[in-house]
């Protein structure tokens, strides 16, 4: 399975597509979260250059990874859009997405209980299964995988985000898809949120279809809507 996990780490740049991701370890492959990075293959294996992303080293070694998305609403298939097609063509990585059909917690808990975690897992940082998997040694430490298979991770990851997600044992088991650091706030003027506000079309038009792209415009629109429709609540998610 060494080759599979080489490519698994080469795929780390895909993590930013959706929420936080963890590298799962199946059954008897891993006995602990720390110090159990998959061993490299036979002598003579080409090691990745720390100045280049590892996928360039392993692009000719195709692999399919199972990626569990802990959101029942997620239905985007891999390989049917230009982005995923290009990733597969250039890296050799193909993705098999797995999503729960019903209750997300029940599906993920079943995977954990049966010790059959997929290669990659995406779920919210607040979910209790995050600590359960890391504390029970069910996922690999990203920093150890990076040191062994893709040092380029340290060139492209945000040191502040890495520090924030580093656990008490000194390892990082998940990396966020979207994060804003204090430095980002200071240096960037056009930061956008990964959340959205939904406004009823009839109310929006009734208040004159105002510009809501600025904080001032948004606040003014909400105030006007509240004045015109005082009994309509909530205004932004109906």
């Amino acid at each position: 399975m060494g080759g599979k996990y080489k490519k698994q780490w080469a795929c780390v740049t895909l993590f930013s597509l959706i929420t936080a991701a963890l590298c799962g370890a199946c059954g008897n492959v891993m006995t602990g979260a720390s110090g159990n990075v998959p061993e490299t293959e036979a002598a003579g294996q080409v090691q990745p250059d720390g100045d280049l992303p590892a996928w360039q080293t392993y692009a000719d070694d195709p692999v399919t990874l199972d990626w569990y998305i802990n959101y029942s609403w997620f239905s985007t298939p891999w390989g049917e859009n230009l982005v995923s097609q290009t990733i597969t063509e250039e890296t050799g990585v193909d993705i098999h997405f797995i999503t729960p059909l019903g209750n997300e917690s029940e599906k993920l808990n079943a995977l954990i209980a049966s010790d059959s975690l997929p290669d990659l897992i995406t779920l919210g940082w607040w979910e209790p299964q995050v600590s359960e998997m890391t504390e029970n040694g069910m996922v690999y430490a990203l920093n150890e995988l990076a040191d062994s298979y893709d040092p380029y991770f340290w060139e492209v990851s945000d040191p502040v985000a890495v520090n924030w997600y580093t656990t008490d044992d000194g390892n990082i088991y998940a990396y966020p898809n979207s994060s804003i650091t204090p430095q980002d706030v200071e240096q960037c003027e056009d930061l956008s949120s990964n959340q959205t506000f939904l406004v009823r079309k009839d109310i929006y038009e009734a208040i004159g279809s105002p510009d809501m792209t600025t904080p001032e415009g948004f606040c003014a629109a909400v105030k006007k809507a509240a004045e015109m429709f005082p009994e309509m609540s909530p205004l932004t998610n109906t």
Side-chain angles (χ1 to χ4, degrees), residues 4-237:
K4 180 176 183 179
Y5 282 101
K6 286 190 304 179
K7 186 54 67 68
Q8 174 177 317
W9 183 243
C11 180
V12 71
T13 53
L14 304 182
F15 287 4
S16 60
L17 293 177
I18 319 172
T19 326
L22 300 96
C23 291
C26 55
N28 58 7
V29 175
M30 179 180 177
T31 57
S34 178
N36 290 277
V37 174
E39 295 182 0
T40 55
E41 291 185 340
Q45 170 188 308
V46 177
Q47 295 295 326
D49 184 344
D51 294 329
L52 296 172
W55 67 264
Q56 294 186 10
T57 301
Y58 303 121
D60 294 329
D61 182 19
V63 67
T64 297
L65 301 177
D66 291 331
W67 190 335
Y68 175 74
I69 309 294
N70 196 46
Y71 301 107
S72 58
W73 49 261
F74 182 79
S75 60
T76 303
W78 185 268
E80 296 187 13
N81 56 64
L82 181 60
V83 172
S84 59
Q85 291 171 357
T86 301
I87 290 173
T88 297
E89 291 173 1
E90 295 189 0
T91 69
V93 176
D94 199 4
I95 299 295
H96 171 228
F97 282 130
I98 303 170
T99 55
L101 296 178
N103 184 278
E104 287 89 349
S105 293
E106 290 181 0
K107 174 64 174 179
L108 184 54
N109 288 337
L111 291 173
I112 293 174
S114 62
D115 201 13
S116 56
L117 293 178
D119 301 304
L120 306 172
I121 300 172
T122 288
L123 72 166
W125 58 265
W126 58 88
E127 302 291 353
Q129 292 89 347
V130 173
S131 58
E132 179 181 359
M133 289 185 288
T134 56
E135 292 173 3
N136 291 317
M138 303 183 73
V139 292
Y140 290 112
L142 298 183
N143 51 291
E144 294 178 350
L145 290 176
D147 291 341
S148 296
Y149 300 115
D150 195 359
Y152 191 72
F153 171 75
W154 303 115
E155 299 294 327
V156 295
S157 59
D158 190 319
V160 177
V162 168
N163 181 67
W164 180 267
Y165 281 89
T166 296
T167 58
D168 292 339
D169 64 4
N171 292 318
I172 174 175
Y173 299 98
Y175 194 81
N177 77 310
S178 176
S179 63
I180 297 175
T181 67
Q183 291 86 343
D184 293 331
V185 175
E186 294 176 359
Q187 299 173 6
C188 303
E189 296 181 355
D190 299 321
L191 292 176
S192 60
S193 171
N194 62 354
Q195 301 294 319
T196 60
F197 291 95
L198 304 180
V199 182
R200 279 181 47 162
K201 184 174 183 290
D202 57 341
I203 296 178
Y204 177 68
E205 293 177 345
I207 62 176
S209 303
D211 180 5
M212 300 177 66
T213 61
T214 65
E216 296 78 14
F218 180 82
C219 290
V222 171
K223 290 179 180 179
K224 189 171 183 179
E227 293 172 356
M228 294 182 63
F229 304 94
E231 298 181 0
M232 185 69 69
S233 180
L235 289 171
T236 59
N237 62 355

